[in-house]
Amino acid sequence: MNKNSLTLLLVFLLSLTSKAQISHTNNSTESLERPKLVVGIVIDQMRYDYLTRFYNKFGEDGFKRLMKEGFNCKNNHFNYVPTYTGPGHASIFTGTSPKYHGIISNNWYDKELKKNVYCVEDDSEQSVGTSNNSGQMSPRKMVSTTFADENRLFTQMRGKTIGVSIKDRASILPAGHTANAAYWFQGEDEGHWISSTYYMDSLPKWVIEFNKEHHVDSYLKEWNTLYPIETYTESGDDLNDFEGGFEGKETATFPYDLVILKRQNKGYDILKTTPYGNSLTTDFAIEAVKGEQLGKDNETDVLTVSYSCTDYVGHNFGVNSKEIEDTYLRLDIDLGRFLKALDDAVGKNNYTVFLTADHAAVDVPEYLKSVNIPAGYFDSKAFRNSVNEFITNTYGNNNLIESISNNQIFLNKEKLKELNLDLDDVQEDLVNEIISYNYIEKAYTGTAMSSTSFIDGIERLIQNGFNQKRSGDVIFAFAPAVINYGKTGSTHGSAYEYDTHVPLLFFGKGIKHGATFQRTEITDIAPTISALLGISYPNANMGNPLDFVFK
């Protein structure tokens, strides 16, 4: 090979190398292109089977659009108990369970303060937008970060985070510690969206204007079924013995005149137990996208939206009610207009959405018993009396128990020490006693939860919900379809499928169309979004990114 040929070969090889480097650079840039906005939607108390049960009555723009264009994880579960609103929202956005993020319930007994505390209460903050103390809230009791926090850190605080929900805890916990704002609804005689000094000193102009326009009044009207009630064949009879209803109305049957009923049902709070509260939430969330200019620059923003009214309706009327069916058919319409608003404001291929629930719910046990399915109601007062009697008879002292709450018994450590009693022995004695009680299916000591590793079953879920600093000394679980609740309406909180199996839909930029029956867990959501954004996982994350949902 002569000198000229060698030179030409060298130039050719250098050209190939340069092209490969350029191609690699372009591919890397494309793979790191992030959505301008991530929207996390949580539907309070949504069972997975609502997607399939009401599917044929949904329109094309809401749930069906998410399923037909996005990815449906059909076997998605919570991996801890208790399955309540506070822990649910915290777990979804932190990628971990109460064991690590610390939100062990909505309310719990504080062993240091010796009193019950609320998961987002914070007396060091003041209300913004109301003179009521309902704004004295913050996320400080949650000890880990959310993916929204990690996005704020990654973008040097340039990416915004806004939380929206009727419920304070459902707005505050998802948005995390570094949020620009979290907003929730103050009902009663106000009907306004409010916040806390944790985020701001005064409401921004767009929120003030929204409150002044008093959209809330447009929803004080008759609540009747969206479609003829006889077509609601996916739910039970409208008149039955399993529903609560409203004060001032003799039966829990359609229609409901909200203007009249408002007076006896805490004013504007009545909207929480109707689908119109979800419509109001949608109105406010759309205004938040505009008012905060979300998705308008090159830094990813995060909007968390939790629909709370599905939970209030479920608690009042039950999962098999005409009211719950109508609520989901109307929510489907609200989701459709929310997605359309995101299309218009951010652009169809510029945002990513996930939709899930903070827990599901059980059928009303009285209804289950009427169709010969085992179910029951736990008598907490009788349980407390029996446990206290056992303690007194066994140890000659009735001051050894400080609290019984959230299916946990908290012992008085000072009194145990004073009586020279061994903590482990007393825990074991209590477990051996209560496991024989009616409707109690499982019981464990706090020591066992701290020292033994459970890899499956209800035991694993109990352990994932057990926080060594905050949880009790004895933990117990009910038998299936047994609840500590009234005899009308549905509730939740257990480790059983009816409470743990919830939807998980991904949609939008970076998400492919598809579905899977592979088991996924609620703690997988945060690392999946973190992976999509190329940011750090939340600092106490225990989940795994679901790579099969990505394009």
Side-chain angles (χ1 to χ4, degrees):
M1 182 179 292
N2 60 35
K3 185 176 179 181
N4 288 337
S5 298
L6 185 61
T7 301
L8 287 172
L9 178 60
L10 183 60
V11 169
F12 176 70
L13 291 173
L14 287 171
S15 173
L16 287 178
T17 302
S18 176
K19 287 180 180 179
Q21 287 175 338
I22 291 170
S23 175
H24 176 72
T25 301
N26 288 340
N27 288 338
S28 297
T29 302
E30 183 177 351
S31 67
L32 289 175
E33 189 179 345
R34 302 173 182 89
K36 292 180 179 295
L37 177 65
V38 171
V39 182
I41 299 174
V42 181
I43 302 177
D44 206 320
Q45 201 189 118
M46 184 176 184
R47 294 162 57 109
Y48 174 80
D49 64 3
Y50 288 164
L51 284 180
T52 53
R53 185 170 141 204
F54 305 137
Y55 185 86
N56 291 334
K57 285 191 168 62
F58 289 146
E60 295 298 320
D61 301 326
F63 288 112
K64 279 187 179 178
R65 181 181 175 191
L66 295 176
M67 287 187 278
K68 288 182 175 181
E69 297 180 27
F71 199 97
N72 186 357
C73 297
K74 299 181 178 183
N75 190 24
N76 183 61
H77 291 266
F78 279 85
N79 61 350
Y80 66 85
V81 288
T83 39
Y84 293 145
T85 297
H89 284 80
S91 299
I92 291 165
F93 289 84
T94 63
T96 192
S97 72
K99 180 177 183 179
Y100 297 111
H101 62 58
I103 304 299
I104 63 172
S105 188
N106 294 333
N107 303 272
W108 65 84
Y109 179 74
D110 189 300
K111 294 186 280 191
E112 299 299 320
L113 299 176
K114 306 295 183 186
K115 67 175 185 177
N116 288 323
V117 297
Y118 178 52
C119 61
V120 291
E121 69 178 29
D122 191 341
D123 293 341
S124 70
E125 301 295 347
Q126 299 301 314
S127 300
V128 175
T130 179
S131 58
N132 192 292
N133 64 5
S134 54
Q136 292 186 276
M137 306 288 170
S138 84
R140 288 191 174 102
K141 287 185 173 63
M142 181 173 66
V143 299
S144 58
T145 62
T146 65
F147 75 76
D149 286 324
E150 297 299 335
N151 183 65
R152 291 273 285 160
L153 293 171
F154 183 86
T155 62
Q156 302 302 313
M157 300 296 169
R158 292 188 295 269
K160 283 188 175 181
T161 300
I162 305 293
V164 173
S165 180
I166 289 285
K167 292 182 180 179
D168 47 27
R169 60 188 180 272
S171 172
I172 292 168
L173 296 172
H177 300 275
T178 60
N180 300 82
Y183 301 102
W184 54 96
F185 184 69
Q186 171 60 27
E188 298 178 335
D189 61 348
E190 295 184 48
H192 287 164
W193 291 86
I194 67 169
S195 192
S196 161
T197 51
Y198 179 86
Y199 306 100
M200 64 193 76
D201 294 325
S202 59
L203 294 175
K205 183 179 178 181
W206 71 266
V207 178
I208 293 172
E209 290 300 316
F210 188 94
N211 285 337
K212 277 184 180 178
E213 291 169 6
H214 234 249
H215 296 259
V216 66
D217 285 330
S218 67
Y219 293 115
L220 283 174
K221 56 186 177 181
E222 182 181 84
W223 177 21
N224 208 341
T225 53
L226 183 63
Y227 306 116
I229 196 167
E230 61 270 16
T231 67
Y232 283 30
T233 54
E234 296 78 14
S235 46
D237 294 334
D238 192 29
L239 180 61
N240 59 70
D241 298 326
F242 316 119
E243 301 177 12
F246 294 109
E247 291 292 329
K249 192 172 191 302
E250 188 175 339
T251 61
T253 54
F254 284 106
Y256 300 96
D257 189 329
L258 303 184
V259 174
I260 294 174
L261 294 173
K262 170 189 174 185
R263 291 192 290 271
Q264 291 179 256
N265 293 272
K266 298 184 179 180
Y268 289 110
D269 275 348
I270 194 172
L271 292 176
K272 297 177 181 179
T273 315
T274 76
Y276 300 136
N278 289 331
S279 300
L280 180 66
T281 302
T282 304
D283 295 341
F284 191 78
I286 291 172
E287 202 61 33
V289 173
K290 298 175 185 175
E292 297 291 342
Q293 291 290 291
L294 300 180
K296 290 298 186 182
D297 57 27
N298 292 325
E299 304 286 5
T300 300
D301 298 321
V302 175
L303 173 65
T304 72
V305 180
S306 181
Y307 287 104
S308 302
C309 301
T310 42
D311 184 66
Y312 289 108
V313 174
H315 276 297
N316 194 349
F317 298 98
V319 305
N320 197 45
S321 63
K322 294 277 192 264
E323 287 80 1
I324 205 73
E325 177 167 0
D326 193 69
T327 296
Y328 275 90
L329 297 184
R330 291 178 182 274
L331 176 59
D332 181 57
I333 294 172
D334 284 323
L335 282 174
R337 67 187 182 93
F338 185 35
L339 294 174
K340 175 65 165 57
L342 292 172
D343 291 344
D344 294 341
V346 186
K348 277 191 175 182
N349 195 40
N350 289 327
Y351 67 92
T352 303
V353 172
F354 70 81
L355 181 148
T356 188
D358 58 347
H359 53 74
V362 65
D363 266 292
V364 180
E366 281 294 296
Y367 167 67
L368 293 177
K369 290 196 291 184
S370 75
V371 293
N372 298 319
I373 293 176
Y377 293 88
F378 184 76
D379 189 333
S380 57
K381 184 177 179 180
F383 175 77
R384 186 181 302 272
N385 290 339
S386 295
V387 169
N388 281 327
E389 182 180 356
F390 168 76
I391 288 290
T392 302
N393 292 339
T394 304
Y395 302 108
N397 191 294
N398 62 359
N399 294 317
L400 294 184
I401 294 177
E402 289 186 348
S403 175
I404 300 177
S405 58
N406 294 311
N407 287 24
Q408 299 178 46
I409 300 173
F410 293 80
L411 293 172
N412 185 328
K413 305 300 187 346
E414 290 80 11
K415 185 61 67 173
L416 289 178
K417 190 176 294 185
E418 179 185 319
L419 297 174
N420 201 28
L421 293 172
D422 182 79
L423 174 62
D424 290 350
D425 290 343
V426 177
Q427 287 182 355
E428 285 289 348
D429 287 344
L430 275 169
V431 165
N432 291 331
E433 167 67 13
I434 68 173
I435 196 63
S436 65
Y437 290 3
N438 195 27
Y439 291 144
I440 290 186
E441 190 76 2
K442 300 279 186 179
Y444 295 94
T445 66
T447 300
M449 285 295 136
S450 300
S451 59
T452 307
S453 180
F454 298 100
I455 61 173
D456 56 20
I458 290 176
E459 293 81 1
R460 172 177 175 257
L461 274 69
I462 293 174
Q463 188 166 59
N464 281 339
F466 182 85
N467 183 282
Q468 195 170 3
K469 289 180 71 69
R470 294 179 175 177
S471 296
D473 297 287
V474 171
I475 305 94
F476 55 93
F478 300 143
V482 171
I483 61 175
N484 182 11
Y485 197 68
K487 293 197 174 182
T488 59
S490 298
T491 193
H492 48 86
S494 79
Y496 297 109
E497 297 278 316
Y498 51 75
D499 280 338
T500 68
H501 190 192
V502 297
L504 177 54
L505 304 173
F506 291 95
F507 168 87
K509 187 174 183 64
I511 305 300
K512 70 181 181 184
H513 171 60
T516 184
F517 282 105
Q518 176 180 327
R519 185 182 177 92
T520 58
E521 296 190 333
I522 211 72
T523 51
D524 296 332
I525 297 172
T528 300
I529 297 299
S530 297
L532 177 70
L533 299 180
I535 63 176
S536 293
Y537 297 170
N539 59 15
N541 176 72
M542 64 189 295
N544 297 300
L546 306 176
D547 58 348
F548 49 79
V549 310
F550 297 139
K551 285 183 179 177

